[in-house]
Amino acid sequence: MADRIVIMKDGVIQQIGKPMELYEHPQNKFVAGFIGSPQMNFYDVTVNGEEMTFADGSKMTLPKATAERLSEHKGELILGIRGEDIKFDSQNIDVYKQNSQQAVIENTEIMGNENNLYFRFGGAQTVARVSKYEVCRIGDQVEFVFMPHKMHFFDRETEEAI
């Protein structure tokens, strides 16, 4: 039994690595979307310094270190974030309150030990993976935050990780 995975697209190797390495550090958007269930959420964003603007006009402030890392890639990027890195609990909302957002739940999927919550944000369909204790109904307005240290950025043209 192997301990490394090879991910290919159209016969071309995209990335080779251990499962968690591929999950946590995808080299491109294809790998990021391929690994994980539900797949990573993707948003078209514009980055200008520490300010990030989504396609629908929503805004977030980036941590200084992230803004510095992206400084050579100003402009239009793709933001990726996994469903479990979108938080609805009051503790995370309090810590990251400057970036709290709101949305209306469009669908829910009860998975047993977790729930998937579906809503529109940033101009894209979004799915958040939450604990079985975080129950929402269709039509509920929710507040949430993205975990800033779990955001992935990709070049919009090449789709390579930044």
Side-chain angles (χ1 to χ4, degrees):
M1 196 162 190
D3 63 349
R4 292 168 45 110
I5 296 172
V6 176
I7 298 197
M8 298 179 72
K9 177 183 177 189
D10 299 327
V12 177
I13 294 174
Q14 301 295 303
Q15 189 171 350
I16 302 171
K18 295 180 179 181
M20 284 309 292
E21 178 184 318
L22 299 174
Y23 188 79
E24 293 288 336
H25 306 286
Q27 289 182 352
N28 59 43
K29 183 182 174 212
F30 178 80
V31 173
F34 185 80
I35 296 289
S37 180
Q39 83 167 24
M40 185 179 280
N41 297 289
F42 296 108
Y43 307 90
D44 289 333
V45 297
T46 302
V47 175
N48 185 7
E50 292 181 22
E51 184 176 80
M52 178 171 59
T53 305
F54 291 77
D56 70 352
S58 299
K59 295 183 185 299
M60 286 187 190
T61 302
L62 294 170
K64 194 168 287 215
T66 302
E68 288 173 5
R69 180 170 55 94
L70 298 175
S71 65
E72 294 179 18
H73 304 277
K74 287 182 187 169
E76 297 180 348
L77 301 174
I78 298 169
L79 164 68
I81 191 156
R82 297 210 180 272
E84 67 267 21
D85 298 322
I86 302 172
K87 302 296 183 181
F88 293 78
D89 62 286
S90 59
Q91 184 177 12
N92 277 305
I93 289 172
D94 189 48
V95 170
Y96 302 110
K97 62 184 157 212
Q98 72 181 21
N99 283 327
S100 71
Q101 304 291 327
Q102 294 196 353
V104 175
I105 300 297
E106 296 177 343
N107 202 0
T108 62
E109 187 176 25
I110 298 170
M111 305 295 290
N113 66 334
E114 62 194 20
N115 296 323
N116 291 333
L117 306 178
Y118 294 85
F119 55 94
R120 289 206 57 79
F121 171 74
Q125 181 65 40
T126 300
V127 59
R129 191 166 68 191
V130 300
S131 82
K132 65 183 177 184
Y133 304 110
E134 295 179 81
V135 179
C136 290
R137 292 188 210 154
I138 295 171
D140 284 354
Q141 183 156 340
V142 294
E143 184 177 10
F144 64 93
V145 293
F146 287 3
M147 300 303 290
H149 58 285
K150 293 293 192 172
M151 293 182 190
H152 298 265
F153 290 91
F154 304 92
D155 182 277
R156 199 175 293 180
E157 191 173 306
T158 66
E159 297 189 348
E160 293 296 314
I162 297 174

